[in-house]
Amino acid sequence: MKMNKKFVSLTMVAMMGLSLAACGDNESESADNNNADATNTEAPTPEADNSTGDSSDVANKDKPLVWFNRQPSNSSTGELDMAALSFNDNTYYVGFDANQGAELQGAMIKEYIEANIDTIDRNGDGVIGYVLAIGDIGHNDSIARTRGVRKALGTGVEKDGEIDSDPVGTNADGSATVVQDGTLEIGGKTYTVRELASQEMKNSAGATWDAATAGNAIGTWSSSFGDQIDVIASNNDGMGMSMFNAWSKENKVATFGYDANSDAVAAIAEGYGGTISQHADVQAYLTLRVLRNALDGVDVDTGIGTADDAGNVLSADVYTYNADERSYYALNAAVTADNYQDFTDSTKVYEPVSAQLDESTHASKKVWLDIYNASDNFLSSTYQPLLQNYDDLLNLDVEYIGGDGQTESNITNRLGNPSQYDAFAINMVKTDNAASYTSLLSQ
């Protein structure tokens, strides 16, 4: 790692006491980003040569920009902010296929119930009750994951043509209108599936995907529902692990998360039900690779779908490119008791893209990159370490900025002199707020 790299966080306390919040989460995708008609792995048209030895030679508004982890979009409707995604000719988004991952998580939970039906109904009432930790009701990834669980378990209710993703509050008797009771036919017997409770895990300061809030919630839910709770579903591993450690591990209730964080993967050996890998190793590579290519003035597909001069290349089974959305999406994989040992090191670079670039032909460039919340478990413990591995390999001098997870200004106030950077990688607090950053670059 380069000695001149620095990471600016909100406080030392925030860094030392990482709360297990999501990213995801990390990562807002369009509701139709896996539409087969729009998604492909073909390379975009090569962009103009922006390679320069002096960042001041290029206007800030024309410098390479990658949005990552949170896709510019309307947090209420999910409609993409195409003005932000096409801010200049070298602007892209990097994330993962939210719908594909959400479907995997829902299927993983359903298959677990079916395989363990003899023991999973803890009170023997024929009702498989689950509780759901929702990360951020305005985040596309969170919305997709909530819908994925409800779709797989048959508890979803349509609203405006989509499964309603709103929290149910509590639903002890199955009378809620946000969800409905589902049914599963297993071994010739019909079981009812009920979402007993769900809520957005938002703390008093306004931060969402909050692990501590989830830990408190499972305490309240277990007091209210007791052995009616047979399964726990979470929009991410940060919240899932908080609930697992606080209650479900001791009570042997399977908990399912998302992100394949190292602690969650290790916990599968102790009863954690499973998680979803969103191929963070591929995402982190793409985040910096797209910038590297723009800075070198080469086809953006170099080192992605087409091998670079060091042999780095990705296969089509780990990512897709959606030209209409100017977005790269990593694909997901289910992590269960059957394969978790293959995912124990979440910060290992992806082998097919691990070759060092020659600095004589890929000169060092300076990149400004922010993490929306320095306390986000996935981004801080998985994504950023991967970025720090790849920035060396790609000869990028990255300045890492850690936000507070609550306000854009906590981040944008530290972008006072964009002219000193060659490129930017932005992870917003809220998906609606792309203009907070592009307005700075347009000055």
Side-chain angles (χ1 to χ4, degrees), residues 346-368:
S346 63
T347 62
K348 181 180 179 182
V349 300
Y350 190 53
E351 185 63 31
V353 289
S354 60
Q356 177 73 51
L357 295 188
D358 184 345
E359 194 164 2
S360 67
T361 52
H362 304 275
S364 179
K365 300 290 182 178
K366 192 167 185 179
V367 175
W368 187 94

Side-chain angles (χ1 to χ4, degrees), residues 193-207:
V193 183
R194 179 172 299 161
E195 186 171 308
L196 297 170
S198 56
Q199 73 176 62
E200 180 185 40
M201 299 306 169
K202 184 176 183 178
N203 67 22
S204 59

